[in-house]
Amino acid sequence: MPQPRPARPLVAPAPIHISSPQRRNNPYMRAGTDSPQTPRVQRFGDAQNAYPPPSRGFDEYELSPSPTHDYLDVFDSYEPADPAGHSAIHPSPSMEFEYEKPGAADYGRGGAAFAPARFDSSNHLAPMAATTARGGRGAGAGAGARGGGRTCVPSDPRRRRLIFFGVPAALVIVAVIVIGVVVAVSHHSSSASSSTSSAGNSTGSSAETYNTTSVAIQKGSGTNGSTVETDLGVTFTYVNNFGGSWAQDPYNPYSVSGQAQSWSPSLLDTWVWGEHIVRGVNLGGWLVTEPFIVPALYEEYYNTSKPIDEYTLSQAMGENLTARMTEHYATFITERDFADIAAAGLNYVRIPLGYWAIDTQGTEPFLKGVSWTYFLKAIDWCRKYGLRIYLDFHALPGSQNGWNHSGKEGSVNWMYGVMGIANAQRHLEYIRSLVEYISQDGVREVVTMLGLVNEVESSVVGEDVLARFYYQAYELIRSITGYGAANGPIILIHEGFLGIGAWAGFLSGADRLGLDQHPYLAFGTQNNNPWLNQSTAICAYGGGTNSSQADFGIIIGGEWSNAINDCGYWLDGVDSTPAYESTGTGSCTGWDEWFNWSDTTKQSVHDYALANFDALQNTFFWTWKIGNSTTLGYPSSPFWHYKLGLEQGWIPTDPRVAGGYCNGIGVGGDYFNGTFPASATGALTTASIAADQLASYSAWPPTSLGPSFTAAQISLFPTLTRTGAPITLATPTHSANATIGAGWAYAADSVGAWTTVAGCLYPDEYNATAASALPSGLCTGTVARRAVLVEPTAAPPQR
């Protein structure tokens, strides 16, 4: 876990420090690991975790809205869910004995909920390892500890592989044939010039677009039970028991919208912060691959090159890169998934994107541009089914954390090391292209949030350095879009594992600036504490989230999962051994073999999901889908698999039932009445950042950069110059008479793009942290150049 840090020196209300547990694949996690706790005896379905039949369980339909959202309508006003998914939630023994079971009145509007507050903002509890439960060293979740009996999934791995891969393999073959027929390359003209810059750079406007549509899309709409035809000619029955609908019109695409559920506004209606709740899921592993999410894709090359990230996977694929990655994009997530996500009661998707969707340079092996094509399809599918998108910049040039999901596992070279500034300049340029695209009419209603950096390792980059980059990115974006609702996306900054309270007061007064937190318990000290303890730890986030929403603004739980340990095939990286096993806490076998879980285990995981939904409020589960492993013969990491959880019963079929859960187990916190600061939701047409914040963070570049570079050395760093052609991202294929944007929302944004200086040499963008990479002098090349970024231009008037 990240080491404790003092509160940031920001002029702000009393900080609300809630330190976030560290994320997956963290190479720093092993060092200094706490000594393992003595594990309690824990078995799937044993008496210690059992739910004895109570006289009356918690019926899902009686739960109130989230205790942190008293401003919502009472739950009874919602339309009923599918009766097949209506089941009682029974309290655990610890619920029965440790607190008085709440009555129906406690779940009504204005009930106890997080009010009265049990913890004030300055003393709110942070999630921490619970006291070790009684019991000696046990089998953990290992063999012989299973309950519920065997399922139809065979124990023999060979037979499992036949079931999980036999029929699907045949379907994939068919899909590949279709893709091979329909994928074509065409050239996209853009308003931006395409003058060639120095070798290894983009040539300006994006030159490639892929037509993956094999049939003419027809105008249509429908509700539950109607037949949907996809853009590949596949038909399926639309099932949505929440009053949802789908709609499309290829000739006037922005005039229609589906509706995810009756309680979620369509894209033709306004999303009201403080009234509507984000209930979302990540599409991890799709446009940025991860070994634990798509193991089969990596296993294919394991015996020849053993790829550990998308960088080395791309190298391993070699001349088959385009075909194999396109096949993955086309089959791992499809249009049907978007319909299913809406049917699951969710209204948002968070889509991770790597920089190679926009551009690559030099010898970077990633497949350029094709993932962008599938992001465009996601935009269309979201409009069709009434979903909104949080676009997350997941993988940056140089890597922001050194973990495999940043594109390349290894060292941090973004805002760190000799290439730190140049990599950040590239990043800013790609942000510019994304903002120009997603700010267009018809797109901005779908892509409403932009995450600047995913899971930046602030303990490496440095808090002050990170804050300065965030200011530069904010000013860049708002100088393009202007201020106020509908002018560009909400800007989300990751809290850098510092805790959301550490950012109290940061850029106070900024227009639509929000925080993203990822509260995972899985990567802290491994333990076998009861599920109720785990749920209590997550519920402890609720009060701090409330306080921060009232003081700072929108707080998004951008990632969470059901994992209480790090069990899962390759979860910590290729060939990794889970800390749960290496510390002697227990065996991962039982946790991973979900097909042997007892009903009790499923209920415990289900309740933990309720705790996350309730405490984090505006959330995105990580992740929608885990692919099958050819080695195991089944999909691993069930704690991280939303779709599987829905099918198997450990994910609620209606996420609204989470309302009141934390209060029900006796965890309270600060109350939030649904009123955000006016600047946080775009209510102001001008924005004025506090003077002390400008004084603290506007100077650029930073005067020091890790690992130990001084201002004088930074002045010698190889940086970029603004002489390139801006990259205008490709638009989707569409009917000739349809009116859509050209990919660049604001014509006034015409300054040159950041590009390399002709005649200058640049170190490896992923390996330049050593002092030996520092040039002896400043290279000016054949083009006049500056050593630092220009100050962002003033924001234009409101549009």
Side-chain angles (χ1 to χ4, degrees), residues 5 28 400-401 412 415-416 457-463 706-707:
R5 301 176 180 85
Y28 307 101
Q400 72 277 16
N401 52 36
V412 175
M415 293 301 294
Y416 188 82
E457 186 53 85
S458 63
S459 64
V460 176
V461 172
E463 299 174 36

Side-chain angles (χ1 to χ4, degrees), residues 133-148:
R134 69 182 186 280
R137 185 177 182 84
R146 303 161 187 148

Side-chain angles (χ1 to χ4, degrees), residues 527-576:
N527 63 80
N528 286 313
N529 294 324
W531 277 99
L532 181 60
N533 293 39
Q534 314 287 358
S535 294
T536 299
I538 282 296
C539 283
Y541 277 86
T545 298
N546 285 343
S547 297
S548 295
Q549 287 190 137
D551 296 335
F552 186 96
I554 295 170
I555 309 296
I556 298 294
E559 295 184 20
W560 63 276
S561 78
N562 281 326
I564 58 172
N565 54 50
D566 68 339
C567 290
Y569 179 61
W570 288 356
L571 179 65
D572 293 328
V574 173
D575 281 348
S576 61

Side-chain angles (χ1 to χ4, degrees), residues 493-526:
I493 59 175
H494 185 255
E495 42 85 13
F497 304 109
L498 299 170
I500 55 176
W503 296 90
F506 177 67
L507 300 188
S508 177
D511 176 51
R512 291 167 295 147
L513 182 68
L515 278 166
D516 186 348
Q517 60 177 333
H518 298 180
Y520 290 123
L521 299 189
F523 304 104
T525 301
Q526 301 298 296

